[in-house]
mmCIF file of all heavy atoms in Angstrom:
data_model
loop_
_atom_site.group_PDB
_atom_site.id
_atom_site.type_symbol
_atom_site.label_atom_id
_atom_site.label_comp_id
_atom_site.label_asym_id
_atom_site.label_seq_id
_atom_site.Cartn_x
_atom_site.Cartn_y
_atom_site.Cartn_z
ATOM 1 N N MET A 1 0.819 -1.187 -0.010
ATOM 2 C CA MET A 1 0.006 0.008 0.005
ATOM 3 C C MET A 1 0.877 1.246 0.002
ATOM 4 O O MET A 1 0.665 2.132 -0.797
ATOM 5 C CB MET A 1 -0.949 -0.044 1.191
ATOM 6 C CG MET A 1 -1.823 1.195 1.247
ATOM 7 S SD MET A 1 -3.192 0.855 2.335
ATOM 8 C CE MET A 1 -4.085 2.311 2.094
ATOM 9 N N GLY A 2 1.862 1.350 0.899
ATOM 10 C CA GLY A 2 2.723 2.487 0.906
ATOM 11 C C GLY A 2 2.220 3.677 1.720
ATOM 12 O O GLY A 2 1.144 3.631 2.275
ATOM 13 N N LEU A 3 3.061 4.696 1.760
ATOM 14 C CA LEU A 3 2.727 5.890 2.519
ATOM 15 C C LEU A 3 1.827 6.851 1.708
ATOM 16 O O LEU A 3 1.905 6.834 0.501
ATOM 17 C CB LEU A 3 4.017 6.668 2.858
ATOM 18 C CG LEU A 3 4.956 6.019 3.844
ATOM 19 C CD1 LEU A 3 6.255 6.805 3.896
ATOM 20 C CD2 LEU A 3 4.373 5.888 5.208
ATOM 21 N N PRO A 4 1.024 7.631 2.389
ATOM 22 C CA PRO A 4 0.279 8.678 1.672
ATOM 23 C C PRO A 4 1.296 9.604 1.016
ATOM 24 O O PRO A 4 2.404 9.776 1.456
ATOM 25 C CB PRO A 4 -0.448 9.429 2.781
ATOM 26 C CG PRO A 4 -0.450 8.532 3.949
ATOM 27 C CD PRO A 4 0.725 7.638 3.823
ATOM 28 N N ARG A 5 0.951 10.211 -0.111
ATOM 29 C CA ARG A 5 1.849 11.071 -0.860
ATOM 30 C C ARG A 5 2.475 12.136 -0.003
ATOM 31 O O ARG A 5 3.629 12.507 -0.181
ATOM 32 C CB ARG A 5 1.117 11.706 -2.044
ATOM 33 C CG ARG A 5 1.017 10.809 -3.213
ATOM 34 C CD ARG A 5 1.168 11.679 -4.470
ATOM 35 N NE ARG A 5 1.380 10.900 -5.658
ATOM 36 C CZ ARG A 5 2.555 10.536 -6.090
ATOM 37 N NH1 ARG A 5 3.624 10.814 -5.447
ATOM 38 N NH2 ARG A 5 2.685 9.878 -7.217
ATOM 39 N N SER A 6 1.694 12.658 0.955
ATOM 40 C CA SER A 6 2.212 13.763 1.799
ATOM 41 C C SER A 6 3.367 13.276 2.714
ATOM 42 O O SER A 6 4.164 14.098 3.161
ATOM 43 C CB SER A 6 1.092 14.337 2.650
ATOM 44 O OG SER A 6 0.579 13.329 3.532
ATOM 45 N N LEU A 7 3.462 11.979 2.973
ATOM 46 C CA LEU A 7 4.502 11.429 3.835
ATOM 47 C C LEU A 7 5.637 10.758 3.059
ATOM 48 O O LEU A 7 6.714 10.466 3.651
ATOM 49 C CB LEU A 7 3.906 10.460 4.829
ATOM 50 C CG LEU A 7 2.901 11.002 5.818
ATOM 51 C CD1 LEU A 7 2.354 9.918 6.698
ATOM 52 C CD2 LEU A 7 3.509 12.117 6.670
ATOM 53 N N ALA A 8 5.432 10.503 1.796
ATOM 54 C CA ALA A 8 6.420 9.765 1.004
ATOM 55 C C ALA A 8 7.606 10.665 0.702
ATOM 56 O O ALA A 8 7.499 11.889 0.599
ATOM 57 C CB ALA A 8 5.789 9.308 -0.313
ATOM 58 N N LEU A 9 8.772 10.051 0.601
ATOM 59 C CA LEU A 9 9.997 10.783 0.223
ATOM 60 C C LEU A 9 9.953 11.164 -1.254
ATOM 61 O O LEU A 9 9.449 10.365 -2.061
ATOM 62 C CB LEU A 9 11.231 9.920 0.468
ATOM 63 C CG LEU A 9 11.615 9.594 1.891
ATOM 64 C CD1 LEU A 9 12.762 8.595 1.900
ATOM 65 C CD2 LEU A 9 12.001 10.840 2.646
ATOM 66 N N PRO A 10 10.535 12.279 -1.590
ATOM 67 C CA PRO A 10 10.683 12.587 -3.036
ATOM 68 C C PRO A 10 11.472 11.463 -3.680
ATOM 69 O O PRO A 10 12.382 10.882 -3.074
ATOM 70 C CB PRO A 10 11.461 13.901 -3.036
ATOM 71 C CG PRO A 10 11.200 14.522 -1.719
ATOM 72 C CD PRO A 10 11.030 13.360 -0.751
ATOM 73 N N LYS A 11 11.174 11.132 -4.937
ATOM 74 C CA LYS A 11 11.832 9.993 -5.611
ATOM 75 C C LYS A 11 13.356 10.098 -5.625
ATOM 76 O O LYS A 11 14.032 9.104 -5.402
ATOM 77 C CB LYS A 11 11.300 9.862 -7.039
ATOM 78 C CG LYS A 11 9.929 9.261 -7.077
ATOM 79 C CD LYS A 11 9.537 8.958 -8.504
ATOM 80 C CE LYS A 11 8.165 8.336 -8.526
ATOM 81 N NZ LYS A 11 7.754 7.917 -9.852
ATOM 82 N N GLN A 12 13.906 11.278 -5.892
ATOM 83 C CA GLN A 12 15.353 11.436 -5.919
ATOM 84 C C GLN A 12 15.960 11.112 -4.543
ATOM 85 O O GLN A 12 17.001 10.469 -4.481
ATOM 86 C CB GLN A 12 15.739 12.836 -6.340
ATOM 87 C CG GLN A 12 15.443 13.080 -7.812
ATOM 88 C CD GLN A 12 15.792 14.504 -8.203
ATOM 89 O OE1 GLN A 12 15.696 15.441 -7.390
ATOM 90 N NE2 GLN A 12 16.140 14.716 -9.435
ATOM 91 N N ARG A 13 15.363 11.579 -3.483
ATOM 92 C CA ARG A 13 15.867 11.316 -2.123
ATOM 93 C C ARG A 13 15.742 9.810 -1.789
ATOM 94 O O ARG A 13 16.680 9.248 -1.272
ATOM 95 C CB ARG A 13 15.138 12.170 -1.107
ATOM 96 C CG ARG A 13 15.629 11.968 0.284
ATOM 97 C CD ARG A 13 15.139 13.082 1.208
ATOM 98 N NE ARG A 13 15.211 12.730 2.602
ATOM 99 C CZ ARG A 13 16.324 12.645 3.311
ATOM 100 N NH1 ARG A 13 17.458 12.921 2.765
ATOM 101 N NH2 ARG A 13 16.299 12.349 4.591
ATOM 102 N N ALA A 14 14.612 9.230 -2.119
ATOM 103 C CA ALA A 14 14.424 7.813 -1.842
ATOM 104 C C ALA A 14 15.446 6.975 -2.612
ATOM 105 O O ALA A 14 16.050 6.036 -2.055
ATOM 106 C CB ALA A 14 13.021 7.376 -2.212
ATOM 107 N N HIS A 15 15.728 7.333 -3.844
ATOM 108 C CA HIS A 15 16.675 6.610 -4.674
ATOM 109 C C HIS A 15 18.099 6.747 -4.037
ATOM 110 O O HIS A 15 18.875 5.789 -3.984
ATOM 111 C CB HIS A 15 16.677 7.128 -6.097
ATOM 112 C CG HIS A 15 17.583 6.350 -7.020
ATOM 113 N ND1 HIS A 15 17.302 5.049 -7.416
ATOM 114 C CD2 HIS A 15 18.727 6.681 -7.599
ATOM 115 C CE1 HIS A 15 18.249 4.642 -8.188
ATOM 116 N NE2 HIS A 15 19.133 5.608 -8.345
ATOM 117 N N ALA A 16 18.426 7.959 -3.590
ATOM 118 C CA ALA A 16 19.730 8.190 -2.976
ATOM 119 C C ALA A 16 19.894 7.333 -1.712
ATOM 120 O O ALA A 16 20.982 6.769 -1.492
ATOM 121 C CB ALA A 16 19.913 9.670 -2.635
ATOM 122 N N ILE A 17 18.837 7.192 -0.954
ATOM 123 C CA ILE A 17 18.892 6.376 0.284
ATOM 124 C C ILE A 17 19.123 4.929 -0.100
ATOM 125 O O ILE A 17 19.890 4.223 0.552
ATOM 126 C CB ILE A 17 17.633 6.572 1.122
ATOM 127 C CG1 ILE A 17 17.633 7.974 1.750
ATOM 128 C CG2 ILE A 17 17.519 5.502 2.184
ATOM 129 C CD1 ILE A 17 16.351 8.369 2.422
ATOM 130 N N LEU A 18 18.429 4.452 -1.146
ATOM 131 C CA LEU A 18 18.616 3.057 -1.578
ATOM 132 C C LEU A 18 20.061 2.828 -1.992
ATOM 133 O O LEU A 18 20.669 1.820 -1.591
ATOM 134 C CB LEU A 18 17.674 2.742 -2.754
ATOM 135 C CG LEU A 18 16.190 2.683 -2.492
ATOM 136 C CD1 LEU A 18 15.441 2.443 -3.766
ATOM 137 C CD2 LEU A 18 15.848 1.668 -1.439
ATOM 138 N N LEU A 19 20.614 3.707 -2.788
ATOM 139 C CA LEU A 19 21.982 3.561 -3.235
ATOM 140 C C LEU A 19 22.956 3.590 -2.054
ATOM 141 O O LEU A 19 23.894 2.805 -1.991
ATOM 142 C CB LEU A 19 22.355 4.622 -4.252
ATOM 143 C CG LEU A 19 21.640 4.524 -5.605
ATOM 144 C CD1 LEU A 19 22.011 5.717 -6.482
ATOM 145 C CD2 LEU A 19 21.915 3.220 -6.314
ATOM 146 N N TYR A 20 22.753 4.499 -1.123
ATOM 147 C CA TYR A 20 23.582 4.610 0.054
ATOM 148 C C TYR A 20 23.534 3.323 0.897
ATOM 149 O O TYR A 20 24.539 2.813 1.338
ATOM 150 C CB TYR A 20 23.155 5.821 0.852
ATOM 151 C CG TYR A 20 23.955 6.036 2.119
ATOM 152 C CD1 TYR A 20 25.261 6.512 2.074
ATOM 153 C CD2 TYR A 20 23.427 5.742 3.353
ATOM 154 C CE1 TYR A 20 26.012 6.691 3.216
ATOM 155 C CE2 TYR A 20 24.166 5.919 4.549
ATOM 156 C CZ TYR A 20 25.455 6.407 4.448
ATOM 157 O OH TYR A 20 26.195 6.582 5.600
ATOM 158 N N THR A 21 22.303 2.807 1.084
ATOM 159 C CA THR A 21 22.144 1.587 1.870
ATOM 160 C C THR A 21 22.880 0.419 1.220
ATOM 161 O O THR A 21 23.576 -0.316 1.886
ATOM 162 C CB THR A 21 20.640 1.247 2.009
ATOM 163 O OG1 THR A 21 19.982 2.341 2.660
ATOM 164 C CG2 THR A 21 20.429 -0.021 2.827
ATOM 165 N N ARG A 22 22.749 0.289 -0.098
ATOM 166 C CA ARG A 22 23.432 -0.796 -0.804
ATOM 167 C C ARG A 22 24.978 -0.637 -0.716
ATOM 168 O O ARG A 22 25.678 -1.626 -0.518
ATOM 169 C CB ARG A 22 22.999 -0.795 -2.268
ATOM 170 C CG ARG A 22 21.568 -1.307 -2.398
ATOM 171 C CD ARG A 22 21.111 -1.253 -3.862
ATOM 172 N NE ARG A 22 19.710 -1.673 -3.921
ATOM 173 C CZ ARG A 22 18.858 -1.176 -4.783
ATOM 174 N NH1 ARG A 22 19.231 -0.269 -5.659
ATOM 175 N NH2 ARG A 22 17.609 -1.569 -4.758
ATOM 176 N N ALA A 23 25.442 0.576 -0.824
ATOM 177 C CA ALA A 23 26.896 0.827 -0.737
ATOM 178 C C ALA A 23 27.412 0.487 0.674
ATOM 179 O O ALA A 23 28.474 -0.096 0.797
ATOM 180 C CB ALA A 23 27.202 2.258 -1.104
ATOM 181 N N ARG A 24 26.688 0.901 1.694
ATOM 182 C CA ARG A 24 27.109 0.622 3.065
ATOM 183 C C ARG A 24 27.103 -0.874 3.334
ATOM 184 O O ARG A 24 28.024 -1.403 3.965
ATOM 185 C CB ARG A 24 26.197 1.318 4.083
ATOM 186 C CG ARG A 24 26.163 2.801 3.921
ATOM 187 C CD ARG A 24 26.838 3.585 4.964
ATOM 188 N NE ARG A 24 26.410 3.122 6.287
ATOM 189 C CZ ARG A 24 27.240 3.117 7.343
ATOM 190 N NH1 ARG A 24 28.468 3.564 7.234
ATOM 191 N NH2 ARG A 24 26.796 2.679 8.512
ATOM 192 N N TYR A 25 26.110 -1.602 2.806
ATOM 193 C CA TYR A 25 26.061 -3.056 2.979
ATOM 194 C C TYR A 25 27.255 -3.681 2.273
ATOM 195 O O TYR A 25 27.920 -4.568 2.799
ATOM 196 C CB TYR A 25 24.730 -3.585 2.437
ATOM 197 C CG TYR A 25 24.651 -5.095 2.515
ATOM 198 C CD1 TYR A 25 24.460 -5.754 3.736
ATOM 199 C CD2 TYR A 25 24.732 -5.858 1.375
ATOM 200 C CE1 TYR A 25 24.413 -7.120 3.825
ATOM 201 C CE2 TYR A 25 24.657 -7.247 1.441
ATOM 202 C CZ TYR A 25 24.490 -7.874 2.660
ATOM 203 O OH TYR A 25 24.427 -9.246 2.733
ATOM 204 N N ALA A 26 27.535 -3.238 1.066
ATOM 205 C CA ALA A 26 28.679 -3.760 0.288
ATOM 206 C C ALA A 26 29.991 -3.476 1.012
ATOM 207 O O ALA A 26 30.952 -4.253 0.867
ATOM 208 C CB ALA A 26 28.706 -3.176 -1.113
ATOM 209 N N ALA A 27 30.035 -2.419 1.800
ATOM 210 C CA ALA A 27 31.233 -2.064 2.534
ATOM 211 C C ALA A 27 31.371 -2.833 3.838
ATOM 212 O O ALA A 27 32.359 -2.671 4.565
ATOM 213 C CB ALA A 27 31.263 -0.569 2.839
ATOM 214 N N GLY A 28 30.347 -3.671 4.158
ATOM 215 C CA GLY A 28 30.482 -4.530 5.314
ATOM 216 C C GLY A 28 29.571 -4.222 6.488
ATOM 217 O O GLY A 28 29.621 -4.930 7.513
ATOM 218 N N VAL A 29 28.710 -3.232 6.375
ATOM 219 C CA VAL A 29 27.755 -2.920 7.443
ATOM 220 C C VAL A 29 26.658 -3.968 7.414
ATOM 221 O O VAL A 29 26.116 -4.261 6.346
ATOM 222 C CB VAL A 29 27.211 -1.488 7.302
ATOM 223 C CG1 VAL A 29 26.189 -1.192 8.408
ATOM 224 C CG2 VAL A 29 28.343 -0.466 7.301
ATOM 225 N N SER A 30 26.296 -4.508 8.568
ATOM 226 C CA SER A 30 25.281 -5.569 8.622
ATOM 227 C C SER A 30 23.875 -5.003 8.316
ATOM 228 O O SER A 30 23.615 -3.807 8.502
ATOM 229 C CB SER A 30 25.258 -6.219 9.963
ATOM 230 O OG SER A 30 24.691 -5.339 10.932
ATOM 231 N N GLN A 31 23.022 -5.886 7.824
ATOM 232 C CA GLN A 31 21.635 -5.486 7.560
ATOM 233 C C GLN A 31 20.949 -5.019 8.857
ATOM 234 O O GLN A 31 20.182 -4.061 8.827
ATOM 235 C CB GLN A 31 20.878 -6.631 6.933
ATOM 236 C CG GLN A 31 21.338 -6.921 5.525
ATOM 237 C CD GLN A 31 20.587 -8.008 4.862
ATOM 238 O OE1 GLN A 31 19.465 -8.342 5.242
ATOM 239 N NE2 GLN A 31 21.132 -8.590 3.820
ATOM 240 N N ALA A 32 21.246 -5.684 9.958
ATOM 241 C CA ALA A 32 20.659 -5.297 11.225
ATOM 242 C C ALA A 32 21.088 -3.892 11.644
ATOM 243 O O ALA A 32 20.255 -3.078 12.107
ATOM 244 C CB ALA A 32 21.020 -6.303 12.314
ATOM 245 N N GLU A 33 22.341 -3.558 11.430
ATOM 246 C CA GLU A 33 22.834 -2.211 11.767
ATOM 247 C C GLU A 33 22.209 -1.168 10.871
ATOM 248 O O GLU A 33 21.805 -0.106 11.330
ATOM 249 C CB GLU A 33 24.349 -2.165 11.670
ATOM 250 C CG GLU A 33 24.949 -0.822 11.975
ATOM 251 C CD GLU A 33 24.664 -0.311 13.400
ATOM 252 O OE1 GLU A 33 24.441 -1.141 14.314
ATOM 253 O OE2 GLU A 33 24.604 0.913 13.564
ATOM 254 N N LEU A 34 22.066 -1.463 9.600
ATOM 255 C CA LEU A 34 21.440 -0.534 8.668
ATOM 256 C C LEU A 34 19.963 -0.315 9.057
ATOM 257 O O LEU A 34 19.482 0.833 9.011
ATOM 258 C CB LEU A 34 21.547 -1.047 7.240
ATOM 259 C CG LEU A 34 22.928 -0.976 6.616
ATOM 260 C CD1 LEU A 34 22.961 -1.790 5.343
ATOM 261 C CD2 LEU A 34 23.357 0.436 6.402
ATOM 262 N N ALA A 35 19.303 -1.358 9.462
ATOM 263 C CA ALA A 35 17.881 -1.227 9.906
ATOM 264 C C ALA A 35 17.806 -0.292 11.091
ATOM 265 O O ALA A 35 16.940 0.571 11.161
ATOM 266 C CB ALA A 35 17.324 -2.600 10.224
ATOM 267 N N ARG A 36 18.723 -0.450 12.062
ATOM 268 C CA ARG A 36 18.717 0.422 13.230
ATOM 269 C C ARG A 36 18.971 1.860 12.840
ATOM 270 O O ARG A 36 18.314 2.783 13.290
ATOM 271 C CB ARG A 36 19.742 -0.060 14.250
ATOM 272 C CG ARG A 36 19.295 -1.226 15.117
ATOM 273 C CD ARG A 36 20.228 -1.448 16.277
ATOM 274 N NE ARG A 36 21.545 -1.949 15.835
ATOM 275 C CZ ARG A 36 21.841 -3.197 15.589
ATOM 276 N NH1 ARG A 36 20.904 -4.148 15.728
ATOM 277 N NH2 ARG A 36 23.041 -3.591 15.158
ATOM 278 N N GLN A 37 19.969 2.075 11.974
ATOM 279 C CA GLN A 37 20.366 3.429 11.585
ATOM 280 C C GLN A 37 19.218 4.186 10.871
ATOM 281 O O GLN A 37 19.051 5.365 11.090
ATOM 282 C CB GLN A 37 21.576 3.393 10.665
ATOM 283 C CG GLN A 37 22.854 3.032 11.359
ATOM 284 C CD GLN A 37 24.030 2.912 10.395
ATOM 285 O OE1 GLN A 37 23.878 3.089 9.181
ATOM 286 N NE2 GLN A 37 25.194 2.607 10.949
ATOM 287 N N PHE A 38 18.475 3.462 10.037
ATOM 288 C CA PHE A 38 17.430 4.111 9.266
ATOM 289 C C PHE A 38 16.050 3.979 9.892
ATOM 290 O O PHE A 38 15.083 4.573 9.398
ATOM 291 C CB PHE A 38 17.384 3.524 7.830
ATOM 292 C CG PHE A 38 18.556 3.978 7.025
ATOM 293 C CD1 PHE A 38 19.579 3.116 6.718
ATOM 294 C CD2 PHE A 38 18.630 5.281 6.521
ATOM 295 C CE1 PHE A 38 20.678 3.517 5.968
ATOM 296 C CE2 PHE A 38 19.713 5.664 5.744
ATOM 297 C CZ PHE A 38 20.741 4.798 5.466
ATOM 298 N N GLY A 39 15.930 3.226 10.987
ATOM 299 C CA GLY A 39 14.628 3.091 11.643
ATOM 300 C C GLY A 39 13.637 2.293 10.812
ATOM 301 O O GLY A 39 12.459 2.601 10.831
ATOM 302 N N ILE A 40 14.149 1.330 10.049
ATOM 303 C CA ILE A 40 13.271 0.452 9.251
ATOM 304 C C ILE A 40 13.523 -0.985 9.642
ATOM 305 O O ILE A 40 14.458 -1.277 10.363
ATOM 306 C CB ILE A 40 13.517 0.662 7.725
ATOM 307 C CG1 ILE A 40 14.980 0.378 7.335
ATOM 308 C CG2 ILE A 40 13.146 2.085 7.312
ATOM 309 C CD1 ILE A 40 15.271 0.474 5.846
ATOM 310 N N SER A 41 12.695 -1.865 9.146
ATOM 311 C CA SER A 41 12.795 -3.260 9.540
ATOM 312 C C SER A 41 13.965 -3.942 8.827
ATOM 313 O O SER A 41 14.413 -3.531 7.743
ATOM 314 C CB SER A 41 11.516 -4.028 9.206
ATOM 315 O OG SER A 41 11.374 -4.171 7.803
ATOM 316 N N TYR A 42 14.471 -5.003 9.483
ATOM 317 C CA TYR A 42 15.516 -5.806 8.882
ATOM 318 C C TYR A 42 15.046 -6.356 7.528
ATOM 319 O O TYR A 42 15.775 -6.415 6.558
ATOM 320 C CB TYR A 42 15.861 -6.965 9.816
ATOM 321 C CG TYR A 42 16.760 -8.002 9.202
ATOM 322 C CD1 TYR A 42 18.156 -7.856 9.235
ATOM 323 C CD2 TYR A 42 16.251 -9.141 8.583
ATOM 324 C CE1 TYR A 42 18.984 -8.791 8.656
ATOM 325 C CE2 TYR A 42 17.076 -10.051 8.000
ATOM 326 C CZ TYR A 42 18.434 -9.913 8.042
ATOM 327 O OH TYR A 42 19.251 -10.831 7.451
ATOM 328 N N GLN A 43 13.762 -6.737 7.457
ATOM 329 C CA GLN A 43 13.187 -7.318 6.230
ATOM 330 C C GLN A 43 13.249 -6.299 5.096
ATOM 331 O O GLN A 43 13.548 -6.646 3.947
ATOM 332 C CB GLN A 43 11.758 -7.777 6.454
ATOM 333 C CG GLN A 43 11.631 -8.986 7.351
ATOM 334 C CD GLN A 43 11.600 -8.619 8.830
ATOM 335 O OE1 GLN A 43 11.671 -7.443 9.216
ATOM 336 N NE2 GLN A 43 11.463 -9.607 9.687
ATOM 337 N N ARG A 44 12.983 -5.009 5.410
ATOM 338 C CA ARG A 44 13.022 -3.984 4.369
ATOM 339 C C ARG A 44 14.445 -3.759 3.888
ATOM 340 O O ARG A 44 14.697 -3.595 2.668
ATOM 341 C CB ARG A 44 12.423 -2.667 4.894
ATOM 342 C CG ARG A 44 12.362 -1.591 3.839
ATOM 343 C CD ARG A 44 11.458 -1.942 2.664
ATOM 344 N NE ARG A 44 11.575 -0.922 1.625
ATOM 345 C CZ ARG A 44 11.855 -1.142 0.367
ATOM 346 N NH1 ARG A 44 12.036 -2.374 -0.054
ATOM 347 N NH2 ARG A 44 11.922 -0.166 -0.487
ATOM 348 N N VAL A 45 15.413 -3.767 4.803
ATOM 349 C CA VAL A 45 16.828 -3.648 4.397
ATOM 350 C C VAL A 45 17.184 -4.813 3.477
ATOM 351 O O VAL A 45 17.830 -4.635 2.462
ATOM 352 C CB VAL A 45 17.770 -3.586 5.617
ATOM 353 C CG1 VAL A 45 19.211 -3.660 5.176
ATOM 354 C CG2 VAL A 45 17.493 -2.320 6.447
ATOM 355 N N HIS A 46 16.730 -5.999 3.848
ATOM 356 C CA HIS A 46 17.008 -7.176 3.003
ATOM 357 C C HIS A 46 16.475 -6.978 1.593
ATOM 358 O O HIS A 46 17.130 -7.280 0.596
ATOM 359 C CB HIS A 46 16.418 -8.418 3.649
ATOM 360 C CG HIS A 46 16.639 -9.665 2.855
ATOM 361 N ND1 HIS A 46 17.861 -10.356 2.871
ATOM 362 C CD2 HIS A 46 15.843 -10.367 2.030
ATOM 363 C CE1 HIS A 46 17.762 -11.402 2.092
ATOM 364 N NE2 HIS A 46 16.561 -11.423 1.543
ATOM 365 N N GLN A 47 15.232 -6.467 1.503
ATOM 366 C CA GLN A 47 14.630 -6.195 0.194
ATOM 367 C C GLN A 47 15.468 -5.181 -0.588
ATOM 368 O O GLN A 47 15.651 -5.314 -1.789
ATOM 369 C CB GLN A 47 13.197 -5.659 0.336
ATOM 370 C CG GLN A 47 12.223 -6.682 0.833
ATOM 371 C CD GLN A 47 10.851 -6.059 1.106
ATOM 372 O OE1 GLN A 47 10.746 -4.858 1.354
ATOM 373 N NE2 GLN A 47 9.841 -6.889 1.078
ATOM 374 N N ILE A 48 15.931 -4.130 0.085
ATOM 375 C CA ILE A 48 16.726 -3.114 -0.569
ATOM 376 C C ILE A 48 18.022 -3.692 -1.090
ATOM 377 O O ILE A 48 18.376 -3.476 -2.260
ATOM 378 C CB ILE A 48 17.015 -1.940 0.400
ATOM 379 C CG1 ILE A 48 15.701 -1.163 0.691
ATOM 380 C CG2 ILE A 48 18.067 -1.002 -0.187
ATOM 381 C CD1 ILE A 48 15.819 -0.189 1.826
ATOM 382 N N VAL A 49 18.774 -4.409 -0.287
ATOM 383 C CA VAL A 49 20.098 -4.879 -0.725
ATOM 384 C C VAL A 49 19.979 -6.007 -1.727
ATOM 385 O O VAL A 49 20.864 -6.199 -2.552
ATOM 386 C CB VAL A 49 20.999 -5.288 0.471
ATOM 387 C CG1 VAL A 49 21.279 -4.093 1.373
ATOM 388 C CG2 VAL A 49 20.481 -6.477 1.234
ATOM 389 N N GLN A 50 18.847 -6.706 -1.737
ATOM 390 C CA GLN A 50 18.650 -7.781 -2.705
ATOM 391 C C GLN A 50 17.909 -7.241 -3.953
ATOM 392 O O GLN A 50 17.610 -8.032 -4.843
ATOM 393 C CB GLN A 50 17.824 -8.908 -2.071
ATOM 394 C CG GLN A 50 18.519 -9.603 -0.933
ATOM 395 C CD GLN A 50 19.842 -10.225 -1.321
ATOM 396 O OE1 GLN A 50 19.957 -10.827 -2.382
ATOM 397 N NE2 GLN A 50 20.834 -10.080 -0.480
ATOM 398 N N ARG A 51 17.618 -5.968 -3.973
ATOM 399 C CA ARG A 51 16.934 -5.281 -5.090
ATOM 400 C C ARG A 51 15.557 -5.885 -5.360
ATOM 401 O O ARG A 51 15.177 -6.049 -6.509
ATOM 402 C CB ARG A 51 17.798 -5.305 -6.301
ATOM 403 C CG ARG A 51 19.029 -4.463 -6.195
ATOM 404 C CD ARG A 51 19.897 -4.593 -7.402
ATOM 405 N NE ARG A 51 20.871 -3.557 -7.598
ATOM 406 C CZ ARG A 51 21.955 -3.388 -6.887
ATOM 407 N NH1 ARG A 51 22.233 -4.207 -5.915
ATOM 408 N NH2 ARG A 51 22.813 -2.416 -7.132
ATOM 409 N N LYS A 52 14.833 -6.192 -4.319
ATOM 410 C CA LYS A 52 13.488 -6.704 -4.510
ATOM 411 C C LYS A 52 12.482 -5.593 -4.224
ATOM 412 O O LYS A 52 12.645 -4.788 -3.304
ATOM 413 C CB LYS A 52 13.217 -7.877 -3.536
ATOM 414 C CG LYS A 52 14.060 -9.077 -3.848
ATOM 415 C CD LYS A 52 13.721 -10.215 -3.000
ATOM 416 C CE LYS A 52 14.632 -11.380 -3.332
ATOM 417 N NZ LYS A 52 14.367 -12.561 -2.515
ATOM 418 N N ARG A 53 11.454 -5.565 -5.032
ATOM 419 C CA ARG A 53 10.398 -4.538 -4.853
ATOM 420 C C ARG A 53 9.476 -4.980 -3.766
ATOM 421 O O ARG A 53 9.226 -6.130 -3.553
ATOM 422 C CB ARG A 53 9.655 -4.316 -6.127
ATOM 423 C CG ARG A 53 10.496 -3.736 -7.207
ATOM 424 C CD ARG A 53 9.675 -3.460 -8.441
ATOM 425 N NE ARG A 53 10.490 -2.701 -9.343
ATOM 426 C CZ ARG A 53 10.159 -1.496 -9.767
ATOM 427 N NH1 ARG A 53 9.019 -0.978 -9.452
ATOM 428 N NH2 ARG A 53 10.953 -0.820 -10.573
ATOM 429 N N ARG A 54 8.886 -3.972 -3.128
ATOM 430 C CA ARG A 54 7.884 -4.318 -2.097
ATOM 431 C C ARG A 54 6.523 -4.018 -2.625
ATOM 432 O O ARG A 54 6.265 -3.389 -3.564
ATOM 433 C CB ARG A 54 8.138 -3.560 -0.805
ATOM 434 C CG ARG A 54 8.099 -2.073 -0.903
ATOM 435 C CD ARG A 54 8.295 -1.476 0.431
ATOM 436 N NE ARG A 54 8.287 -0.044 0.210
ATOM 437 C CZ ARG A 54 7.838 0.808 1.055
ATOM 438 N NH1 ARG A 54 7.296 0.412 2.153
ATOM 439 N NH2 ARG A 54 7.851 2.074 0.822
#
């Protein structure tokens, strides 16, 4: 379902966060640590680093 438009991140910012998350994971940061840093679930981090859509 997703967030209401008023709460959603602008596409460019959301894309930048995805790229940053993937780069940090590739650099050795654990998925659990990334989840804590961004305040999102471990499952969502897993989807991001595995490039799966939600």
Side-chain angles (χ1 to χ4, degrees):
M1 180 163 185
L3 293 172
R5 278 216 167 271
S6 61
L7 297 177
L9 291 173
K11 284 188 179 185
Q12 289 177 330
R13 181 165 162 74
H15 185 71
I17 290 170
L18 292 177
L19 292 177
Y20 179 74
T21 301
R22 289 177 183 146
R24 300 252 311 146
Y25 178 72
V29 178
S30 72
Q31 290 182 21
E33 180 60 27
L34 289 168
R36 280 191 292 276
Q37 288 176 359
F38 289 105
I40 58 177
S41 70
Y42 170 87
Q43 291 85 0
R44 182 63 185 128
V45 172
H46 180 78
Q47 290 174 337
I48 291 169
V49 299
Q50 298 299 319
R51 292 176 162 72
K52 294 185 181 179
R53 294 183 170 240
R54 61 177 177 146

